[in-house]
Every structure is written in C-alpha cells, then in structure tokens.
Amino acid sequence: SAVISQKPSRDICQRGTSLTIQCQVDSQVTMMFWYRQQPGQSLTLIATANQGSEATYESGFVIDKFPISRPNLTFSTLTVSNMSPEDSSIYLCSVEDTGTRYNEQFFGPGTRLTVL
Amino acid sequence: SQQGEEDPQALSIQEGENATMNCSYKTSINNLQWYRQNSGRGLVHLILIRSNEREKHSGRLRVTLDTSKKSSSLLITASRAADTASYFCATTRRNDYKLSFGAGTTVTVRA
C-alpha cells in the first residue's frame, strides 16, 4: 500500500496567521484528498486535490480559506489561512491507491493544529 | 456530510473479550472500509468489504455487510490492550471515490 507522510506532525499557531501542511506519497497516485477532524469528531472531506488544476472543494469549504496545491502525482499542500481557534483540528491527507485490488484509501499520520 | 451512524459510541471491555461495533448508512454503497485511529493520530486501514460481499476476515477482525439493512459490523476477537482506539466506518458510492465517515466507536480494552 502507498506510504504517506505529512509535515508538520503538529503545530501551535497564533490567530490570524497561516500554516501550510505538506503531504508526500511514495508512489504516484491520481486521487489525493484533504480531511479535517475537529476535536472529538469524525472526519470531514475538505477537498480533492487535482493535479494540474484547481482543487474541488466540498460544501462549506472555500479556496480562500484552504488553498491547495498539487504540483505532481506524489505531493500536495493544504494551507489553513487566517487561522482562528475554530480551525484547531487534525488535518489528514489521503490517497486512493489504485495499486491495491479494490482501490482502498489510505491516510497520512495527520497534522494536529492548535490555534491560540 | 457523514452518511453513517455507529454504535455504540463507546465500548469498554476486558482483555481477551470480543468487541463488536456496528455501522449503518443511508444510501447505496460501492464499498465500505473500516479504519482504526489511535489517540488522534492518522487512520490505519483495516479492511474493505465490497457491496456484493457479506463477510470478510483479516486476522482477528471479522466484518459483515448487510446491504438490505444498510449496515455493517466489525468484530475484534480476543481483544488486546493495543486494540484501544477509535474505529470508523467509511463508505463510497458507485462511481464516487469520496469517503463518507461514520461517527466512530471508541473502544477501551482493560488489562
């Protein structure tokens, strides 16, 4: 299965600042996704990161707040902009691994963000 | 938005006992995947069951799927302290790669 890494693993930020989270995969994948997990909650899809084009955002998420880059098939970044304490969450990237039999989705280790 | 509900929300068992948790969903699915999350870290993929399958096994894990009831169950046999985690089900619909997650079940295995 694809091996996914994320940087940073955690960060504490001041309100009004921005943080960029990196996601690196050890193989080329078509589909990459970004999820948010608010404290004590389940996961919510933020957007699909599309290589060579703008990301596709889910309802309630906008590009100005969560700009996403996908320069190639192994790498993506998510920026959390103009942060407020409500943005404190775990942010996870995932990939659909077409190398597996049934295209399972695998997740990175997550980035735990605390906004003060 | 979450498609699924999971129950129970929390489960506490003794080491060696079995743990069963259930997941229900609302719309027709292509497949259903179960994940484990330890202490707010990343999700570990446990098992995928397709809509035309009824049961799958992987080690101490047994997953069932009843599409007529739109529900799935995850059974962990002979639980260990290391099984203490949150467990999530997630579904995909036909021709849609997006995962829709359930609320999760928190399992505590007491030594």
Side-chain angles (χ1 to χ4, degrees), chain A residues 31 33 35 37 42-45 48 58 90 92 96 102 104-109 112, chain B residues 2 31 33 35 37 39-43 45 48 50 88 92 97-99 101-103:
Chain A
M31 307 300 293
F33 310 93
Y35 287 82
Q37 185 180 27
S42 188
L43 280 77
T44 301
L45 179 64
T48 303
E58 297 300 305
I90 299 172
L92 301 106
E96 184 185 71
Y102 298 116
E104 286 96 331
Q105 283 197 30
F106 298 94
F107 283 79
R112 183 184 289 273
Chain B
Q2 268 90 54
N31 64 51
Q33 302 179 62
Y35 293 88
Q37 185 178 41
S39 300
R41 297 193 55 79
L43 272 68
H45 188 275
L48 178 151
R50 291 176 293 151
F88 294 91
T92 59
Y97 44 77
K98 291 183 275 189
L99 285 174
F101 278 84

Side-chain angles (χ1 to χ4, degrees), chain B residues 62-78:
Chain B
R62 173 177 169 254
V63 168
T64 63
L65 179 65
D66 187 335
T67 52
S68 67
K69 295 181 180 178
K70 291 187 170 58
S71 69
S72 175
S73 69
L74 171 66
L75 167 68
I76 305 172
T77 61

